[in-house]
Amino acid sequence: MDDLLAARSQMALSLGFHIIFACIGMIMPFFMAISHYIYLKTGKEAYKKLTVAWSKGVAIFFVTGAVSGTMLSFELGLLWPKFMEEAGPIFGMPFSLEGTAFFIEAIALGFFLYGWGKFHPWFHWFTGVVVGVSGLASGILVVAANAWMNAPTGFDIIDGVYTNIDPIAAMFNEAWFSQALHMTLAAFVATGFAVGGIHAWMIRKGKSKDIHIPALRISLTIGAVAAILMPLSGHHAAKDVAHRQPAKLAAMEAHFHTEERAALIIGGIPDEATQTVNYAIKIPGGLSYLIHGDFVTEVKGLEDIPQDEHPPVAITHYGFQIMVGIGMLLMLVGLIWLFGLWKKAPYLHAPWFLALLALLSPLGFIAVEAGWVVTEVGRQPWILYGIMRTADAVTPMPGIVYSFWLYVAVYLSLSLIVGALLAKQVKALDKETEQLSPKTS
């Protein structure tokens, strides 16, 4: 493993872990706030206990997200010094604002965790809402910085020097809205189905239904609504990519040849040597329609893009197919769930359906990881699209491979610790609620 591959692998590892912690940390406060609201309106003790339990989970992921996010910020400077030297003054604003949002989130979370019985009930609830809003703002701001790497703007390059810097234009670049919308919905889907799947499994095991049934309804309903909206945001994002990054789109679709009536490819194994896709389902004109709104308009293929600007096609294509496939599956299950709620269908609490929800619980995060693979690998060979290559930005210092293996050990240890803490919280919740009487639940 050379230093470039080691540096890229370390960033991929760090981002892959952090995105899970960040998504849960962004979305769980909203579940917590909804449960708290119901408790304040109804006085049902079960919702208070659920709110307290979820708040402990929020605290766990806030800490782990803060640690992993801090590590990522250091890695940007240590692994990619050339990039940070040139780009730091341009896209630093969203990072600084993210720090402010993080500061507000930390204060609000402290108020919420230790505010039971000390604040007015509705002010206490409001602090929980602030945790969610500020956490969501943090995520959107970080995504805006990443979007700038895909759509660099807000500066001019004169004689190799970055001048006329406009941080506002850089932050609100052409890609920020589509990426932020898609990522936000993905976080709601992944967290909603993951949390819902855990509670569904606990219901199937006969654990504290007074707690787990409301938890399932809150989390999965939100996840289902977000899953139904995902194809709309995905379509908007794909059209944006087609306009700005035709090489990425071509890699996503394994679209090698520029042609009219371009087919939409489902599945398949790309062969870059022969520029063909084997074992794929092809819908004639489908790609042309999705990108241009008609079945005829030409779509640019990889053959018309310089070879040294091609992203890795197979990895990008597989990541895209996994993301879309999981997204469609979760949308279908989400529709079934919402229909069942509407009709008060008994299958919602049937053992087979609860087991299905439990099996689906990790899929949202697998789709999130696949989506980030598409975003980051599909941008290669550029770290700053069309301006700076990744190979030119990596640190000249040797020995990055040792740093990579150290980070592997750190993140695996952190994940095991988080998993153990969450398991402990679930067991504690069941123990606390076993004695809940029908009158209080």
Side-chain angles (χ1 to χ4, degrees):
M1 181 184 293
D2 61 24
D3 285 341
L4 175 59
L5 180 58
R8 290 182 59 195
S9 298
Q10 183 172 319
M11 285 297 297
L13 174 79
S14 301
L15 181 60
F17 277 95
H18 175 70
I19 198 64
I20 295 176
F21 302 147
C23 283
I24 299 174
M26 288 163 54
I27 306 306
M28 277 295 296
F30 291 103
F31 299 171
M32 177 185 77
I34 292 171
S35 176
H36 194 188
Y37 178 85
I38 296 173
Y39 164 67
L40 293 176
K41 296 294 288 186
T42 65
K44 292 184 178 180
E45 191 69 17
Y47 283 98
K48 179 180 179 181
K49 290 191 176 292
L50 176 59
T51 303
V52 171
W54 273 351
S55 70
K56 293 177 181 178
V58 169
I60 291 170
F61 282 103
F62 175 81
V63 172
T64 52
V67 171
S68 58
T70 302
M71 293 170 70
L72 269 170
S73 64
F74 280 116
E75 285 176 284
L76 281 172
L78 293 173
L79 299 178
W80 315 102
K82 178 65 174 176
F83 169 70
M84 292 304 295
E85 177 187 357
E86 303 289 353
I90 305 171
F91 80 141
M93 177 170 283
F95 281 125
S96 62
L97 293 176
E98 191 273 339
T100 303
F102 175 81
F103 181 68
I104 296 172
E105 182 183 6
I107 294 173
L109 181 59
F111 280 178
F112 188 85
L113 292 175
Y114 298 102
W116 291 99
K118 297 180 177 66
F119 297 133
H120 186 281
W122 286 107
F123 176 76
H124 185 216
W125 170 80
F126 176 72
T127 63
V129 174
V130 173
V131 174
V133 172
S134 55
L136 190 61
S138 293
I140 291 174
L141 287 165
V142 171
V143 170
N146 178 269
W148 179 79
M149 298 166 68
N150 287 287
T153 189
F155 63 95
D156 295 318
I157 301 179
I158 301 175
D159 296 328
V161 178
Y162 292 72
T163 61
N164 300 325
I165 294 173
D166 184 347
I168 299 297
M171 184 166 67
F172 295 108
N173 55 79
E174 289 186 4
W176 86 269
F177 178 76
S178 61
Q179 280 196 211
L181 176 63
H182 199 56
M183 184 64 234
T184 299
L185 288 174
F188 273 103
V189 174
T191 305
F193 274 86
V195 174
I198 292 171
H199 289 288
W201 182 247
M202 301 307 290
I203 295 169
R204 193 175 188 277
K205 292 174 66 177
K207 301 286 188 179
S208 305
K209 292 185 179 180
D210 291 328
I211 295 293
H212 294 297
I213 288 178
L216 172 62
R217 289 184 173 230
I218 292 171
S219 56
L220 198 60
T221 299
I222 293 175
V225 172
I228 294 169
L229 296 174
M230 278 297 290
L232 299 177
S233 72
H235 178 61
H236 181 270
K239 291 186 71 172
D240 181 60
V241 167
H243 169 66
R244 293 181 297 97
Q245 296 175 295
K248 179 185 285 189
L249 176 76
M252 288 161 54
E253 294 288 347
H255 182 62
F256 290 102
H257 304 290
T258 301
E259 57 188 359
E260 297 178 350
R261 304 181 189 277
L264 179 67
I265 294 177
I266 301 175
I269 301 175
D271 186 337
E272 295 184 59
T274 60
Q275 296 193 341
T276 57
V277 184
N278 302 312
Y279 315 112
I281 299 173
K282 298 184 178 182
I283 302 176
L287 184 58
S288 291
Y289 180 78
L290 288 176
I291 301 304
H292 300 293
D294 64 72
F295 292 94
V296 179
T297 303
E298 179 181 277
V299 178
K300 189 176 184 178
L302 286 167
E303 65 180 2
D304 285 339
I305 298 169
Q307 182 71 33
D308 65 349
E309 295 181 10
H310 286 193
V313 176
I315 295 174
T316 308
H317 177 69
Y318 295 146
F320 182 67
Q321 296 294 311
I322 291 170
M323 178 184 66
V324 172
I326 291 176
M328 298 304 293
L329 173 61
L330 295 183
M331 182 184 71
L332 175 61
V333 175
L335 287 169
I336 294 171
W337 169 260
L338 293 176
F339 179 80
L341 285 180
W342 177 42
K343 293 293 186 180
K344 298 181 180 178
Y347 68 75
L348 292 184
H349 299 136
W352 67 268
F353 190 70
L354 295 172
L356 173 63
L357 295 178
L359 288 173
L360 293 176
S361 58
L363 290 190
F365 286 111
I366 293 174
V368 168
E369 299 284 10
W372 275 103
V373 167
V374 173
T375 299
E376 297 302 290
V377 176
R379 190 179 65 240
Q380 300 306 314
W382 307 101
I383 190 170
L384 187 57
Y385 187 74
I387 295 174
M388 182 184 297
R389 291 179 180 265
T390 307
D392 297 330
V394 70
T395 177
M397 297 298 292
I400 301 300
V401 65
Y402 302 110
S403 173
F404 166 70
W405 289 115
L406 175 62
Y407 270 67
V408 170
V410 168
Y411 276 112
L412 287 178
S413 301
L414 186 61
S415 298
L416 291 174
I417 293 170
V418 170
L421 289 173
L422 292 177
K424 184 177 180 180
Q425 289 301 323
V426 172
K427 291 179 181 178
L429 175 63
D430 283 328
K431 187 175 180 179
E432 289 176 4
T433 55
E434 280 176 356
Q435 303 304 320
L436 276 176
S437 67
K439 292 182 180 180
T440 60
S441 61

